[in-house]
Amino acid sequence: MQTVDIPALQDAALSALAAASSSKELEQVRVAVLGKKGSLTQVLRGMGEVPKEQRASLGALVNVARETIEAALAGRAAELAEREMETALQSEAVDVTLPGRTRTIGSEHLISRLTREIVEVFRGIGYRVVEGPEVETEYYNFTALNAPPDHPSRGLQDTFYVRDRSGTASRVAGESEVLLRSQTSPVQVRIMEEEAPPIYILAPGRVYRRDVADPSHLPQFTQIEGLVVDEGISFAQLKGTLEYFCREVFGPERSTRFRPHFFPFTEPSAEVDVSCGICGGAGCRFCGHTGWLEILGCGMVDPNVFGFVNIDTTRYQGFAFGLGIERIACLKYDVPDLRMLLEGDMRFLRQF
Amino acid sequence: MKVSLKWLKTMVEVPSDLAAFARRLDLTGTAVDEVLQTGAVLEGVVVGHILTRERHPNADTLWLTTVDVGPHNLGEDGRPEPLQIVCGAQNFVAGNKVPVALTGTTLPDGTTIKKSKLRGVESRGMNCSARELGLGDEHEGILLLPEDAPVGAAVSDYLGISDTVFDLEITPNRPDCMSMFGVAREIAAVYDTTFELGRELPEPPVEGEAKDLVRVSIDEPSRCPRYTAHLIRGVKIGPSPLWLAERVTAAGTRSINNIVDVTNYIMYETGQPLHAFDFDTLTRDEEGRVSIVVRAAGADEQFTTLDEIERRLTPDVTVIVDGNAAAAAGVTVALAGVMGGLASEVTENTVNILLESAAFDPGHTSRTSRNLKLFSESSSRFERGVDDASCETFGARAAALMVEVGGGSVAEGVLDCYPAPREIPVLSLSMPRLRSLIGAEIPDEDAVGILRRLGCTLESLGGGSYQVTPPSFRPDLEREIDLYEEVLRIWGMERVEPKLPRGEGRIGSRTPEQLKLDKLGFALRASGLNETMTYAFASREDTALLGMRAAEGREPVELINPINSEQTELRQTILPGLLRSVAYNQNHGVPHVQLYEIGGVFNTSEGRKQPRETQRLAGVLTGSWNQQGWNEEARGVDFFDAKGVLENLARELCIPRLRFVTLTADEAPWLARGQAAELRSGSAVLGWLGTVHPRSAAAFGAASPVVAFELDVAQLLRAAADAREFEPVPLYPAVTLDLALVVDGCVPAEKLVQVARSAGGALLADVRVFDVFVDADKLGAGRKSVALALSYRSPERTLTSEEVEKLHSRVVRKLEGATGGAVRST
């Protein structure tokens, strides 16, 4: 039998391993050395022909060579795999500035979003949300809110009336006892009829006024009404509540002021202004050079209103406020034309 | 209410810092809407001296004048040079001083003076009449200025017509502030100072007895608590003196003539509306007396107001009647408190005046204005309430002023019919209660001082209690709370320290419906829909165009006073609004539209007062979800995109037993035949979805295809469970076998799934349709191949392949049997 130079074989295998430049080449080397017909395998297969006395030493030599080669093979394999993965990744690199593949999520309407934000502010101080009908009776929209019987806001010029199908005739020609609510305040009355104090509610909803749609008017818009009835309620608390609201919605740097006003259903009544966010109160075109933007009306619930719903005024007091969401939308986003809110223009809706 | 600062200053001291003054008014409840500078409009009008006056060479009625305007026109040598102005007036001579509008000046009526040629002669400016300057109605000739008027001076400065006008918002509860006098009183209360009505008028000459000449009677005192009349005889109607014209102009009315201007002036000054009748148009009885009757108008009575419009009256209208007129019920001469009649109007020939100063009931006045759509300065004051206590005083003041500016005399005595003096309530005021309601430590003396300055009389009852009598001009002070408001607004809302109400036991929570509604919105947006809002109004055609029929006995809610013919009723469906929005987008180059709206729809029935209001959820999809990208194709939306949205929604809302049932063209004519379905949960109908019929889409201007849905929100929320029950996550693997079944084209996929489920029983964990194809050559005409993936799994063990195969063949057998289909050999 021809003698095999094991160290030479090992050296040859190791250098072949080192020379392999890919996993594929490496595999060829493995097969050539350790495969069924591999050079080292051949040596092991030929062991039987090796003289007995040499068998042990040669066996040991071959085993060492195999282990060495296998270890080197594993190391080289890992090395090549790593390199190949790197190469592959490099070839798969993308232009990260190309647009992503999305299923675009929809947007919430600006008015809904603002309504939700405002509701959350008041929910945080313990208010519940309630609702009422959009087609109301004159009683809830006006009478029970202490509006005088001949108040101009009841007129056909200002309020939408619908045909009363119950057969009742109206006092003023052409009017009716059924109307599209011109404010969310009737919800106040309905809640006070149904529930006993303490009452802390917020009533958002759609309201209607007979204005022709133009950049600053809509015949249909959104209000939020707030009502508190409890023991020991004061004007100071109304002020504190609305100042908290303004800070939350407009930001802590904005200030508020209360201007005495008149509403039939509150007394004392006030309008609330927030300082102009554009000029910071110095006066600019946005705020009509006053430094202030009117945002809501409020006041202490008029005792006459409590009278309509039989709430004991010696025990309970209350305050109420109402604000227009479209107005807040204009103030926060400077929407140039309110009609955009009702057009459904995707380019507008998708901005919010 | 327009308030001239110059006029106001004659009544009360006004701080010199006008910005601070306006702020203070704002903060005490009199909003300053606008601050205007008047007189500025006369910029460019200067005092001119007429040097020469010659006939125009080419026109008999025109004059050629040279006018010295001082430094406003300089010659080449830099020295003042007279202007050549052509003038049509006849009332002047050389040497007069007149107002000259220089070229480039824009006059109050909007005309701009340009250099021009009149009949061939150059004219550089205009000599102005009072009317051209907005100073009165006089336009016969140019306004002649006093001889000592300084040449070249600005006319507005010289005449002192530069003024600041505050436009004040007077709230409806403050009739007293609808006058200069009332505003002065309010300012005096705010600043704690004094005020006065203004110049005392000299006693007018007296002639004759009023009671011999006029009688007054009131039929219903509730319509007219007081009616006073003065008789002024021998006046000469003419232009108003400049100061009078100027004041009524500043207050916002055109100067008409001296008598009409006095009625307006006194109204602005005192808040008392007045009406001047031409006394000689009224009928005298045999004793020579005129009879004035205040009563209800007759039914269907016709009356021509001084704006020359004939109006039809109802008995709700209060009228002033010439009681001696031939007609049995007398002849109406004025609508009480609203407008006078054409027949008794003061004209340039009027000599004798019957001056009415009355208090009419706010309700009738307001209704009359609204019913006749006739709103006047007078009606706006009566609507709020005119103080009956001062009718006579202010009427007398007007009579004296008429004599001063128009001559003549006043008849002795006043005709005063005063059947119903307003009772002034005596109010109690408790300072502890006031402090508790306001939440501020307002001292007694502050409150007392404020109320006194506002005209109340107070009597202390001790212990912070007072008896308060409001003044007659404050009918709004009826209750104790009204006094709190007065104290608070003058004391200062800004001085009240803000607090929050205590919060014991108060929790801000959502109802289960509100929580579900929130989820509904999130699910729709997560599915890619954008929320919108459209009008709740509709036209009668909207449902007709869609072919939608209301349920038996359900009718649209009609508006009595719609704004336009497209919005005459309340909508019964949201779809038209959304289709209009689709059209809007398509017309603006936005082809991909995904919208939803949650909002009310309405219907009513005979006998109902308030209509039914239902919340609906509607959506529309058109174009594609995505724009074509560098790595994806744009795919147009179809029926199954809308269906997918609703499946997502049902999943999020935990709506069980969801079914889509075909709607026929007859059931849903607004949807394309074959692409229309009803959405149900079990047997409850939730709404519809489908591809909008191209004809319906086109009716609202939208290009097809548009897929849409509309669901009933209450039904949705009712069907929605609060949460799903937990199911254990599978422990053992499933075996999934695919199957392609060739069936008749009309067999619904749902049928295959149902049959497979029932045959597969509990071990068939899932059935999924993953392919459908039609090929007449391979499958036969009218046939389709539906591929199902069937997953078998036991929750207890790993199924053997024998078990699965056995069960699967059973499922296949049942499918073939139930549908008449055959498994397709692959």
Side-chain angles (χ1 to χ4, degrees):
Chain A
M1 189 213 142
Q2 160 194 9
T3 49
V4 181
D5 184 349
I6 299 300
L9 194 150
Q10 181 182 320
D11 285 351
L14 290 180
S15 48
L17 282 180
S21 63
S22 70
S23 298
K24 208 171 156 193
E25 277 181 41
L26 188 65
E27 178 63 8
Q28 284 164 3
V29 174
R30 187 189 69 78
V31 171
V33 180
L34 299 172
K36 277 182 188 166
K37 292 179 183 167
S39 50
L40 199 61
T41 315
Q42 293 297 343
V43 176
L44 285 166
R45 288 238 175 105
M47 267 312 198
E49 292 163 30
V50 174
K52 212 170 190 175
E53 64 281 8
Q54 290 177 18
R55 222 180 262 170
S57 63
L58 182 66
L61 205 61
V62 171
N63 272 337
V64 169
R66 193 184 65 192
E67 278 164 20
T68 309
I69 292 168
E70 279 178 347
L73 192 70
R76 183 63 183 155
E79 215 176 281
L80 286 172
E82 177 70 21
R83 193 191 298 164
E84 280 161 12
M85 188 164 70
E86 275 309 315
T87 313
L89 288 179
Q90 206 156 13
S91 72
E92 288 164 13
V94 297
D95 174 358
V96 298
T97 64
L98 281 169
R101 194 186 291 117
T102 55
R103 178 63 171 269
T104 314
I105 195 165
S107 52
E108 190 173 19
H109 193 275
L110 175 59
I111 295 300
S112 302
R113 208 184 85 182
L114 288 172
T115 306
R116 191 168 48 78
E117 284 172 8
I118 292 167
V119 162
E120 285 312 312
V121 168
F122 283 100
R123 191 124 51 197
I125 49 172
Y127 287 57
R128 286 178 303 127
V129 171
V130 294
E131 280 173 352
E134 291 177 20
V135 185
E136 263 295 1
T137 59
E138 207 180 13
Y139 176 79
Y140 285 104
N141 196 70
F142 290 123
T143 309
L145 289 164
N146 201 35
D150 297 298
H151 195 266
S153 67
R154 293 181 182 235
L156 286 166
Q157 285 301 317
D158 296 343
T159 297
F160 282 111
Y161 284 87
V162 307
R163 259 182 72 200
D164 182 349
R165 305 295 297 274
S166 68
T168 317
S170 165
R171 253 169 8 115
V172 175
E175 292 178 13
S176 136
E177 286 179 4
V178 194
L179 45 81
L180 303 191
R181 66 177 177 192
S182 59
Q183 47 192 1
T184 40
S185 313
V187 182
Q188 277 188 33
V189 182
R190 290 184 176 271
I191 289 296
M192 287 191 286
E193 276 180 354
E194 286 161 19
E195 296 180 14
I199 293 170
Y200 289 79
I201 55 141
L202 218 55
R206 190 175 277 172
V207 300
Y208 302 86
R209 286 190 197 164
R210 212 169 160 280
D211 287 322
V212 173
D214 68 22
S216 51
H217 296 88
L218 289 177
Q220 118 186 356
F221 54 101
T222 320
Q223 276 193 343
I224 293 189
E225 186 82 7
L227 172 72
V228 165
V229 184
D230 205 344
E231 292 177 11
I233 294 298
S234 68
F235 182 82
Q237 293 170 347
L238 168 64
K239 225 181 138 181
T241 300
L242 293 178
E243 287 190 358
Y244 159 76
F245 156 76
C246 289
R247 275 196 309 275
E248 290 292 306
V249 171
F250 294 99
E253 72 286 357
R254 308 281 284 272
S255 45
T256 52
R257 69 169 186 177
F258 284 63
R259 278 181 296 106
H261 199 70
F262 172 77
F263 303 111
F265 38 95
T266 50
E267 178 129 17
S269 305
E271 280 185 335
V272 180
D273 298 340
V274 65
S275 59
C276 178
I278 291 184
C279 61
C284 65
R285 266 178 55 194
F286 188 71
C287 57
H289 304 284
T290 61
W292 296 98
L293 302 164
E294 180 196 326
I295 50 158
L296 59 82
C298 65
M300 303 302 292
V301 178
D302 193 289
N304 288 0
V305 173
F306 281 142
F308 279 104
V309 293
N310 291 320
I311 284 182
D312 178 3
T313 52
T314 60
R315 181 166 171 205
Y316 295 108
Q317 302 77 39
F319 61 71
F321 51 88
L323 55 102
I325 308 292
E326 280 76 3
R327 169 122 189 107
I328 308 253
C330 285
L331 297 183
K332 283 193 83 162
Y333 295 95
D334 206 4
V335 178
D337 189 335
L338 285 178
R339 290 173 296 187
M340 296 174 92
L341 296 168
L342 291 172
E343 275 162 354
D345 189 328
M346 292 280 289
R347 297 166 300 179
F348 175 75
L349 298 175
R350 300 278 316 153
Q351 293 183 34
F352 305 103
Chain B
M1 166 90 191
K2 288 199 164 64
V3 171
S4 145
L5 182 62
K6 222 163 77 181
W7 189 351
L8 186 65
K9 280 179 169 170
T10 65
M11 297 179 162
V12 66
E13 192 186 327
V14 177
S16 55
D17 180 348
L18 293 183
F21 172 62
R23 269 199 304 278
R24 188 82 200 122
L25 288 184
D26 272 337
L27 290 178
T28 50
T30 311
V32 179
D33 280 345
E34 211 177 349
V35 181
L36 304 156
Q37 293 302 322
T38 62
V41 290
L42 294 185
E43 206 176 327
V45 181
V46 301
V47 177
H49 185 204
I50 297 187
L51 302 175
T52 62
R53 183 187 86 149
E54 287 164 30
R55 280 279 171 214
H56 189 291
N58 307 323
D60 288 348
T61 56
L62 296 182
W63 295 98
L64 203 58
T65 63
T66 49
V67 187
D68 177 9
V69 291
H72 297 288
N73 188 54
L74 300 178
E76 280 172 9
D77 56 359
R79 297 166 63 133
E81 194 176 271
L83 290 169
Q84 174 172 290
I85 295 173
V86 177
C87 181
Q90 309 299 330
N91 68 327
F92 68 100
V93 296
N96 280 157
K97 299 277 181 71
V98 298
V100 177
L102 302 169
T103 51
T105 300
T106 301
L107 293 174
D109 65 0
T111 49
T112 299
I113 307 301
K114 296 192 188 93
K115 191 165 93 176
S116 60
K117 273 196 172 170
L118 288 168
R119 298 269 181 123
V121 175
E122 187 173 81
S123 178
R124 296 171 60 201
M126 185 168 94
N127 303 328
C128 303
S129 70
R131 187 158 82 174
E132 282 155 347
L133 298 178
L135 295 174
D137 217 24
E138 186 53 50
H139 59 100
E140 288 296 309
I142 50 180
L143 180 64
L144 300 181
L145 300 172
E147 279 176 23
D148 58 357
V151 172
V155 165
S156 54
D157 286 349
Y158 172 67
L159 292 176
I161 50 180
S162 290
D163 196 359
T164 302
V165 174
F166 291 90
D167 193 359
L168 303 182
E169 181 196 348
I170 307 298
T171 53
N173 59 326
R174 294 299 303 276
D176 63 305
C177 281
M178 293 294 280
S179 67
M180 293 298 301
F181 187 43
V183 170
R185 184 166 50 214
E186 172 73 12
I187 290 164
V190 168
Y191 285 99
D192 196 2
T193 177
T194 56
F195 66 101
E196 59 190 14
L197 180 53
R199 185 167 67 93
E200 286 255 335
L201 295 172
E203 282 286 322
V206 172
E207 203 176 315
E209 285 266 346
K211 66 177 166 39
D212 296 338
L213 296 160
V214 188
R215 277 184 310 168
V216 176
S217 70
I218 297 171
D219 270 12
E220 286 174 56
S222 63
R223 289 173 181 261
C224 176
R226 189 177 193 184
Y227 194 103
T228 72
H230 289 83
L231 189 60
I232 304 100
R233 290 183 295 173
V235 299
K236 180 166 171 18
I237 307 289
S240 286
L242 211 50
W243 70 267
L244 180 57
E246 192 194 307
R247 283 197 176 170
V248 294
T249 308
T253 305
R254 217 158 47 88
S255 167
I256 310 282
N257 61 43
N258 51 1
I259 297 303
V260 174
D261 284 0
V262 167
T263 60
N264 285 326
Y265 172 79
I266 296 292
M267 174 178 70
Y268 289 127
E269 186 189 59
T270 67
Q272 173 66 55
L274 302 164
H275 185 67
F277 295 98
D278 182 334
F279 182 70
D280 299 312
T281 63
L282 303 171
T283 317
R284 314 239 181 142
D285 61 14
E286 54 275 17
E287 289 159 16
R289 284 195 302 186
V290 156
S291 162
I292 292 290
V293 180
V294 184
R295 63 153 169 79
D300 284 331
E301 186 180 333
Q302 308 271 330
F303 175 63
T304 306
T305 41
L306 54 78
D307 51 8
E308 301 185 34
I309 296 174
E310 181 161 300
R311 301 177 187 269
R312 184 178 292 272
L313 312 181
T314 67
D316 194 51
V317 178
T318 307
V319 289
I320 313 301
V321 168
D322 174 353
N324 292 335
V331 165
T332 296
V333 290
L335 302 179
V338 178
M339 195 176 268
L342 188 60
S344 59
E345 186 189 14
V346 171
T347 67
E348 54 191 13
N349 303 319
T350 300
V351 178
N352 301 319
I353 305 281
L354 180 72
L355 179 68
E356 162 198 295
S357 175
F360 297 111
D361 158 59
H364 285 89
T365 314
S366 153
R367 284 197 300 278
T368 298
S369 282
R370 280 152 65 197
N371 278 330
L372 299 178
K373 300 192 172 46
L374 187 57
F375 302 91
S376 60
E377 289 282 346
S378 161
S379 70
S380 77
R381 285 172 175 78
F382 283 117
E383 247 177 54
R384 291 164 193 247
V386 162
D387 182 10
D388 54 50
S390 53
C391 293
E392 197 277 312
T393 322
F394 294 148
R397 183 168 170 85
L401 188 55
M402 281 183 184
V403 171
E404 185 182 291
V405 301
S409 63
V410 173
E412 171 94 64
V414 63
L415 293 144
D416 187 356
C417 190
Y418 198 0
R422 191 176 73 86
E423 272 183 46
I424 293 173
V426 178
L427 310 176
S428 39
L429 169 68
S430 152
M431 282 306 294
R433 271 206 302 269
L434 180 149
R435 283 188 279 265
S436 144
L437 190 88
I438 303 296
E441 286 309 310
I442 302 177
D444 279 27
E445 56 272 27
D446 286 15
V448 169
I450 287 165
L451 292 172
R452 290 223 164 101
R453 297 206 296 275
L454 289 168
C456 296
T457 38
L458 280 89
E459 195 183 320
S460 174
L461 304 175
S465 284
Y466 298 85
Q467 210 170 57
V468 182
T469 310
S472 66
F473 50 81
R474 291 299 303 268
D476 59 313
L477 304 184
E478 297 173 299
R479 304 162 301 166
E480 183 174 1
I481 190 79
D482 301 326
L483 303 176
Y484 294 4
E485 178 169 70
E486 293 303 295
V487 172
L488 175 61
R489 73 180 179 87
I490 305 278
W491 190 75
M493 287 183 171
E494 72 279 5
R495 293 165 73 183
V496 177
E497 280 296 318
K499 297 183 191 111
L500 279 176
R502 288 162 299 129
E504 299 142 32
R506 206 165 71 235
I507 295 159
S509 59
R510 285 180 181 78
T511 64
E513 284 70 31
Q514 287 165 353
L515 286 166
K516 286 177 187 171
L517 212 52
D518 283 353
K519 283 209 280 186
L520 184 139
F522 292 138
L524 290 165
R525 293 193 294 280
S527 299
L529 268 59
N530 302 287
E531 192 189 15
T532 189
M533 285 181 184
T534 62
Y535 282 109
F537 303 110
S539 91
R540 181 47 62 90
E541 277 79 58
D542 285 0
T543 46
L545 287 172
L546 294 173
M548 271 187 190
R549 291 178 300 268
E552 192 64 33
R554 303 279 169 105
E555 292 164 35
V557 179
E558 290 169 60
L559 295 178
I560 289 176
N561 54 339
I563 298 186
N564 59 50
S565 60
E566 283 84 49
Q567 302 185 324
T568 55
E569 56 187 47
L570 294 180
R571 66 181 174 189
Q572 301 174 76
T573 165
I574 298 178
L575 182 62
L578 291 181
L579 288 176
R580 285 191 188 100
S581 291
V582 166
Y584 183 95
N585 278 291
Q586 290 173 338
N587 293 339
H588 288 80
V590 183
H592 312 300
V593 183
Q594 310 95 21
L595 298 173
Y596 79 92
E597 176 174 358
I598 298 171
V601 298
F602 308 80
N603 69 65
T604 189
S605 306
E606 195 55 48
R608 278 186 82 94
K609 201 167 193 72
Q610 276 170 279
R612 297 176 195 87
E613 287 186 41
T614 327
Q615 290 291 303
R616 290 265 183 86
L617 157 65
V620 284
L621 298 171
T622 188
S624 58
W625 289 108
N626 59 325
Q627 286 191 321
Q628 173 149 2
W630 63 279
N631 56 352
E632 61 180 336
E633 292 293 311
R635 184 180 60 73
V637 294
D638 64 21
F639 178 88
F640 294 100
D641 290 290
K643 181 168 175 181
V645 169
L646 297 187
E647 284 169 336
N648 268 353
L649 181 65
R651 202 208 158 275
E652 190 60 23
L653 288 180
C654 311
I655 293 178
R657 295 184 295 146
L658 195 68
R659 288 189 60 205
F660 294 85
V661 182
T662 300
L663 284 171
T664 64
D666 190 44
E667 290 167 319
W670 64 94
L671 295 177
R673 180 194 296 268
Q675 296 192 22
E678 190 164 78
L679 178 65
R680 296 188 193 165
S681 165
S683 61
V685 175
L686 306 182
W688 56 261
L689 81 156
T691 302
V692 178
H693 197 295
R695 197 175 47 226
S696 301
F700 296 95
S704 287
V706 179
V707 279
F709 57 85
E710 186 157 333
L711 311 177
D712 185 297
V713 172
Q715 290 285 5
L716 267 180
L717 300 188
R718 202 170 302 136
D722 294 334
R724 257 181 293 272
E725 277 182 31
F726 168 73
E727 279 177 27
V729 174
L731 288 173
Y732 302 96
V735 177
T736 301
L737 298 176
D738 292 349
L739 164 74
L741 204 65
V742 179
V743 295
D744 196 88
C746 65
V747 175
E750 182 183 51
K751 169 95 173 164
L752 303 182
V753 173
Q754 275 170 359
V755 170
R757 279 195 188 284
S758 111
L763 294 182
L764 180 60
D766 188 37
V767 183
R768 192 170 63 84
V769 176
F770 72 90
D771 191 30
V772 177
F773 92 92
V774 178
D775 185 329
D777 291 342
K778 285 188 185 158
L779 307 174
R783 313 278 288 169
K784 66 179 172 186
S785 163
V786 180
L788 303 174
L790 302 140
S791 296
Y792 299 92
R793 173 163 53 212
S794 160
E796 286 140 14
R797 64 205 153 82
T798 304
L799 294 175
T800 64
S801 51
E802 291 77 26
E803 276 179 297
V804 171
E805 269 159 32
K806 199 174 150 201
L807 189 52
H808 186 64
S809 2
R810 178 182 147 78
V811 170
V812 170
R813 244 185 0 261
K814 289 278 183 191
L815 276 171
E816 288 179 330
T819 63
V823 170
R824 187 154 65 97
S825 44
T826 40

